[in-house]
């Protein structure tokens, strides 16, 4: 059983950094300093085992809390995968932001479309409207 919290004091940032920098395709090699800055500037969700308090998942949201949010850095510990925790994190983000009036939450994924679809995410209806600029 897991508890999801937005309390930044509960985050195990070194663990999150290790997960993302060594076991993700999108943040491989990210420095601890960069991760700490990302955490400080974001709304963070941690998933914790109720029995032990150990962190087993993480999600980060970049948002103005009013109109827009970007869900990123979603990670579930390998030992906790396959139990719906990624979907629970995505739903927790949605449920947290809905009362704020946020109209759109975006994310990008290479391989977890099914996880996010269970939380209500769907492909962009008009991807031709979206653009990106890579700075590095």
């Amino acid at each position: 059983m897991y508890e999801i919290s937005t309390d930044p004091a509960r985050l195990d940032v070194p663990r999150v950094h290790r997960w993302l920098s060594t076991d993700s395709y999108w943040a491989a090699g990210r420095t601890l300093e960069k991760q700490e800055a990302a955490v400080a500037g974001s709304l963070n969700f941690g998933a914790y085992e109720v029995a032990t308090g150990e962190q087993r998942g993480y999600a980060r949201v970049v948002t103005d809390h009013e109109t827009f949010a970007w869900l990123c850095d979603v990670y579930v510990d390998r030992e906790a995968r396959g139990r719906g925790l990624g979907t629970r994190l995505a739903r927790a983000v949605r449920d947290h932001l809905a009362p704020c009036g946020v109209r759109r939450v975006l994310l990008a994924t290479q391989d977890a479309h099914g996880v996010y679809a269970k939380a209500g995410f769907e492909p962009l209806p008009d991807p031709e409207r979206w653009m990106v600029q890579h700075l590095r």
Side-chain angles (χ1 to χ4, degrees), residues 29-98:
R30 184 181 290 171
T31 66
L32 177 59
E33 293 76 22
K34 189 170 285 282
Q35 186 63 49
E36 289 171 338
V39 166
S42 301
L43 172 61
N44 301 277
F45 291 75
Y48 306 90
E49 282 189 13
V50 171
T52 65
E54 186 175 4
Q55 187 170 351
R56 292 300 192 165
Y58 176 74
R60 185 168 69 86
V61 180
V62 180
T63 184
D64 59 11
H65 293 90
E66 294 292 333
T67 63
F68 178 82
W70 177 264
L71 173 58
C72 54
D73 287 347
V74 179
Y75 187 92
V76 174
D77 187 10
R78 287 193 172 270
E79 294 178 16
R81 291 184 186 169
R83 300 180 192 139
L85 190 52
T87 299
R88 283 196 55 206
L89 278 164
R91 286 180 181 148
V93 168
R94 177 199 63 203
D95 295 347
H96 184 90
L97 293 173

Side-chain angles (χ1 to χ4, degrees), residues 102-136:
V102 171
R103 294 182 53 218
R104 182 176 293 124
V105 180
L106 292 178
L107 66 83
T109 184
Q110 180 176 306
D111 57 1
H113 295 80
V115 169
Y116 298 112
K118 291 176 190 172
F121 285 86
E122 55 192 40
L124 287 171
D126 48 10
E128 68 279 356
R129 291 176 148 192
W130 295 88
M131 297 178 71
V132 64
Q133 182 179 47
H134 297 280
L135 300 178
R136 288 189 199 187

